Each structure stands twice: as C-alpha cells, then as structure tokens.
Amino acid sequence: MAEAQRPGNGRLAGKTALVTGASSGIGFETAARLGEEGAAVAVNYRSDEEGARQAVGRIEDSGGRAVAVQGDVSSEEEVRRLVRETEQSLGPPDILVNNAGTQSERPFLQMSLADWEQVVSVNMGGAFLVSREIIGGMVERGGGVVVNMSSVHQIIPWPRFAHYSASKGGLKLLTESLALEFASRGIRVNAVAPGAIATPENEEKLQDPESRASLEALIPWDRVGESAEVAACVAFLVSDEASYVTGATLFVDGGMSLYPGFESGEG
Ligand code: NAD
C-alpha cells in the first residue's frame, strides 16, 4: 500500500508497536490499524494463536510487518519473555498499547479472592508489568508512547463487577502517575475508555434483544460501538498528531459517561 493511501497517511511508518491481547476484539482492530498506518506490530496473544495469526495476516496484506508473540501479561516471567521476543523480531517498541483485559460477573459477597485477583492482575497488573518492561528502553532512547485500554468503568461504578471497575479506576491513576513521572523523559502516557463495544467479550449479551435494548438505553448515541472506532482513536493518540497530549483519557463511548439519565433535561 502506498504511504498516502494508508489510513492516517502512513503516519506511523518507521515505528514499532506492541499491542497486548490483540488476537480478538479491540486489540485485534488496534493492532491491524497501527500496522495499516505503517507501524511494525507485535501482536500479543495468550492462547488464541489463530486470532493472532489473522491479525498478523491483515497487517502483512496491507504491506506491513507483524509478528505474533505469545504471553500472559499477568505473569512477570512471561512478560519478560514476550518483550524480549518482540525486541528480537522487530526492535524495541516505540508504542505500547496495554489492551489485554478480562471481566467476570460476580455479586460482591460471592466474589472469591481468586476472582478478584484474576481480573485485577490482568487489567491493572498486566499494564504495570508490560509498561515497566518497556518504558526503561523508551527512557534510554528518549521517547515513546503508551496507551492503556481502560473503560467507562474507570469512572462509572458497576455493581457485580467491583473487581473490574476497581481495576479500571486503578488504571486511570496508573496512567496519570506514569504520565507525570515520564513527561520530562519524552514519554506520553494516555488512556482510551471505551463504552459498550461489540466484541467477543460481550457477544452473548448483545445477541439477546432485551439485554441489547437495555444497554442501548444507556448510550445517547443510540448504538453500540465498533472496535474499529476505538482503534482509530488509539492510532491518533500514539501518533505525533497527539504530541501535546499526556495523562488524558479519551472516552470513546457514544456519550455513555455523560449521565444519560439526565438526557431529558429533567432531574
Ligand atoms: P476481548 O475479550 O475480545 O479482548 C480481550 C483480549 O485480552 C483477548 O484477546 C484476551 O485473550 C486477552 N487477554 C485476556 N487475558 C490475558 C492475559 N492474561 N494475557 C494476555 N492477553 C490476555 O474483549 P475486548 O472487548 O476487545 O476487550 C479489550 C479491552 O477493552 C479490555 O481491556 C476491556 O476491558 C476493554 N473494554 C472493552 C469494552 C467493550 O465493550 N468491549 C468496553 C470497555 C473496555
């Protein structure tokens, strides 16, 4: 693909990116988009090798470079290995997207410690481990950019998902703290907070018309979002066009975080 025909006019050409949890959903679309914009992309997956291969294939079809790297982001040892493999295949990442995430529905009084740790150790712990492994190299090279995939639930409380909302709330302050700690070293750190996006994570809920309607009632834009709409925002944030943006959260939620209960003007 000629540079000018690429999405974003090939603005990520010459960059290397690592996207975690990129074998499906938002991570898949983000990896594909960054690759289509010219970045060489390491597509991290935990167990879905086929999904990762498809993301790699899509990037290669656009004339880009990509590799699949296996690894569980909640394991310190596996994170070290997956970052080493990324560096050996593509060179050190200029761009890191901490996208890997998980959720499970648990009424609080039935939430086991294992339930809690599983969600927090991936959503927040994974971002900590992978960032720590990569930011050191960014400091040595004098720059880099990190995007953490948060959620509207970094500000909207969510009963029965206390571990999930706590992990995303924590991710918000991790993002802001790292942005402050590394601004003087040329490293930007931001978050993207999706609302309801159609992905494998919520496929079941969206297939049920009643659940879908009650979800859509919470979205002023009246529809669920697409992974590609989130990926486009990540691509902007990691590009030099966002060169003065750090410590910010970009909400990609069709207005879900705007207190939709007040839409009528009453209240
Ligand atoms: P998804 O289930 O398709 O994607 C999550 C990805 O993370 C999967 O590829 C999964 O394999 C990977 N993953 C999970 N645990 C991992 C681990 N330990 N190590 C490596 N990879 C791991 O769902 P999605 O909706 O695309 O979610 C992507 C991100 O977006 C998550 O952080 C999620 O919390 C966030 N998000 C999604 C929505 C939504 O409506 N879909 C809304 C807000 C935030």
Side-chain angles (χ1 to χ4, degrees):
M1 205 187 278
E3 293 302 301
Q5 287 167 340
R6 289 181 175 278
N9 293 324
R11 63 188 163 179
L12 302 181
K15 304 280 188 196
T16 295
L18 167 62
V19 183
T20 67
S23 57
S24 64
I26 294 170
F28 182 105
E29 282 301 323
T30 298
R33 174 76 189 229
L34 300 190
E36 285 163 2
E37 292 208 11
V41 184
V43 175
N44 161 251
Y45 68 99
R46 186 191 40 184
S47 51
D48 179 8
E49 192 177 355
E50 180 48 32
R53 276 186 208 283
Q54 282 177 21
V56 168
R58 194 164 130 193
I59 294 166
E60 288 175 343
D61 287 348
S62 76
R65 251 177 100 204
V67 290
V69 286
Q70 193 278 333
D72 179 337
V73 299
S74 66
S75 153
E76 190 169 29
E77 205 185 314
E78 293 194 28
V79 166
R80 290 211 169 107
R81 178 182 47 71
L82 81 87
V83 170
R84 211 171 39 242
E85 284 178 17
T86 299
E87 291 174 345
Q88 282 163 357
S89 310
L90 302 176
D94 311 291
I95 296 166
L96 166 63
V97 182
N98 285 310
N99 166 79
T102 188
Q103 61 169 255
S104 55
E105 182 169 2
R106 295 282 186 282
F108 185 65
L109 297 180
Q110 283 143 42
M111 188 179 287
S112 67
L113 180 59
D115 293 332
W116 171 269
E117 285 177 341
Q118 210 259 327
V119 170
V120 173
S121 72
V122 175
N123 296 5
M124 193 163 48
F128 157 65
L129 287 173
V130 185
S131 299
R132 193 186 56 179
E133 209 55 32
I134 295 228
I135 289 178
M138 290 177 171
V139 168
E140 281 169 20
R141 294 188 302 284
V145 51
V146 178
V147 169
N148 293 323
M149 195 58 68
S150 181
S151 161
V152 288
H153 295 294
Q154 76 169 33
I155 55 165
I156 299 178
W158 201 10
R160 301 195 306 279
F161 292 84
H163 47 0
Y164 182 82
S165 43
S167 73
K168 296 298 188 179
L171 198 52
K172 171 186 186 287
L173 269 166
L174 179 65
T175 302
E176 293 167 0
S177 301
L178 296 186
L180 193 52
E181 189 161 345
F182 292 103
S184 62
R185 262 81 59 91
I187 298 163
R188 295 188 297 107
V189 185
N190 291 295
V192 165
I197 310 296
T199 69
E201 191 174 73
N202 52 23
E203 201 172 6
E204 214 174 293
K205 194 177 194 176
L206 292 175
Q207 271 168 1
D208 172 45
E210 217 169 288
S211 312
R212 190 176 186 115
S214 63
L215 185 60
E216 283 170 350
L218 296 172
I219 308 170
W221 209 253
D222 267 344
R223 67 166 174 83
V224 166
E226 298 296 331
S227 293
E229 294 178 291
V230 181
C233 294
V234 177
F236 161 70
L237 279 177
V238 303
S239 78
D240 289 344
E241 287 177 86
S243 54
Y244 203 50
V245 183
T246 196
T249 296
L250 179 50
F251 284 82
V252 186
D253 67 351
M256 194 182 220
S257 53
L258 299 176
Y259 299 92
F262 283 83
E263 200 174 354
S264 69
E266 285 167 28

